[in-house]
Structures are given as C-alpha cells and as structure tokens.
Amino acid sequence: MALVVLLRGVNVGGHRTFRPSILARELSKYDVVNIGAAGTFVVRKPVPRATLRAAFLRKLPFEADVMLCDGRDLIRLVTEDPFKAEPSGPDIVRFVSILSKAPRIQPSLPITLPTEKKWLLRIFAARGRFVLGVYRRQMKAIGYLGRIDRLFGAPATTRNWTTIASIVRILNGAKKESR
C-alpha cells in the first residue's frame, strides 16, 4: 500500500521554504506525487518507511519532522465521512491533524477553544493518530491549532479536509493502476 508523507512546519510564513514539486521530482524513483505547497506527498511505490524517511531528510535543505502514514488509513477515514454532522460554510475549515505517534494523552472530547467565548477551534474526534476538528477562518484560530501537540502529547501536522480528499483520490487512482 502507498504511504503518505507529511512534513511539519514547512513553507509557512517564509520559514523552512522549499519547492515540493522539485523534491517530488528528485524522489521520482519512489513514484512520489506532490500535493500542494505544505509538504504533502503520496508515495506510490512500495518502500520501507526508514528508507523513505531518510530519502526525504537527505533531500530537504533543512531539518524537518517527517510524518508517515499508511494510505489505507486515510482511505478508511474518508470513507467513514467523519464530518457529516459537523458545521460547514465558507468561514469554517474542516481539518485533520496527524500525530507523529500514538497519542500519549487521550483528552476528553469534544474540546472547544476558547472555552469562554464563541469557539474558534473544535476538536470532535480522535481516531488513532488522526485528530479531527473544525476551526473558524480567523488568524487567532491558528494559535489554537498549535495546542494540539500538548493536548495529545505528540507532535502533529495539520491538513484541511480538502487536502485529505485529494490524497485519497490519488491513492484510489494508484490502487486502480496496480490491478
């Protein structure tokens, strides 16, 4: 099964910048597909995790957290449609934070931040290494996303639901090609 590579904290605010499309091309022997500018890749060729992590770290011009997950786990997540009961609209972003490892802490859910005013971030579920929630499209919400690491006791990187759906479309295409 294909692997998904997610880099943490890259191409944000002018820090730790690189060209993901060039990196994907440099790692073409693994059949790497770049998705967007946030450091998200689908690796369609079977490769050991340690080999893949080392290849990404060698090619990046800076140190980075490289998180890997099985494509089938994301396919399963999308198939479950976890956001069907959650609010939506132009000012609401649905997100998935991927933890680097199983959470050390299992906080009571849902979590709403801030707790005393109109919410900016709501975490409604955690499934293994995936933390699911919604946030309002406001600058202050980004600060609350940064708390996910502490809430679950593991480093996390966040992608919006649209990006997760794009990953799954590529994964499903790779499954069809391999038949």
Side-chain angles (χ1 to χ4, degrees):
M1 171 45 81
L3 291 172
V4 177
V5 178
L6 304 118
L7 304 179
R8 180 176 182 213
V10 300
N11 286 350
V12 178
H15 302 289
R16 297 180 1 166
T17 60
F18 75 109
R19 303 266 314 269
S21 59
I22 293 172
L23 179 60
R25 210 173 18 240
E26 290 174 348
L27 295 170
S28 63
K29 71 180 184 178
Y30 301 116
D31 197 9
V32 175
V33 178
N34 171 54
I35 300 172
T40 306
F41 305 89
V42 174
V43 180
R44 298 186 292 194
K45 184 176 180 182
V47 57
R49 287 173 179 256
T51 301
L52 187 60
R53 182 184 308 278
F56 268 85
L57 290 171
R58 259 192 320 274
K59 294 289 184 182
L60 286 167
F62 45 77
E63 286 192 32
D65 291 327
V66 178
M67 298 180 190
L68 304 172
C69 65
D70 288 325
R72 69 177 154 259
D73 293 337
L74 286 175
I75 290 171
R76 187 176 314 115
L77 184 66
V78 169
T79 302
E80 292 171 1
D81 193 13
F83 289 95
K84 62 184 163 218
E86 294 305 313
S88 65
D91 66 327
I92 304 282
V93 176
R94 296 170 170 192
F95 72 88
V96 178
S97 289
I98 298 91
L99 301 171
S100 63
K101 58 187 175 187
R104 287 187 334 192
I105 304 165
Q106 287 291 344
S108 179
L109 299 175
I111 296 171
T112 303
L113 298 171
T115 56
E116 67 280 352
K117 302 181 202 174
K118 180 179 176 182
W119 66 270
L120 292 178
L121 177 120
R122 249 183 29 83
I123 298 170
F124 64 86
R127 297 188 180 144
R129 292 178 43 218
F130 301 128
V131 176
L132 297 102
V134 292
Y135 67 84
R136 295 190 191 279
R137 211 175 280 279
Q138 296 181 19
M139 286 306 292
K140 285 185 178 181
I142 303 304
Y144 291 113
L145 281 169
R147 293 186 185 182
I148 291 173
D149 294 18
R150 289 189 305 272
L151 288 169
F152 289 86
T157 187
T158 300
R159 300 297 187 272
N160 70 40
W161 189 243
T162 305
T163 299
I164 300 298
S166 295
I167 293 167
V168 168
R169 277 192 299 280
I170 291 168
L171 290 167
N172 284 334
K175 279 182 11 185
K176 289 175 188 166
E177 289 173 14
S178 67
R179 288 184 188 158

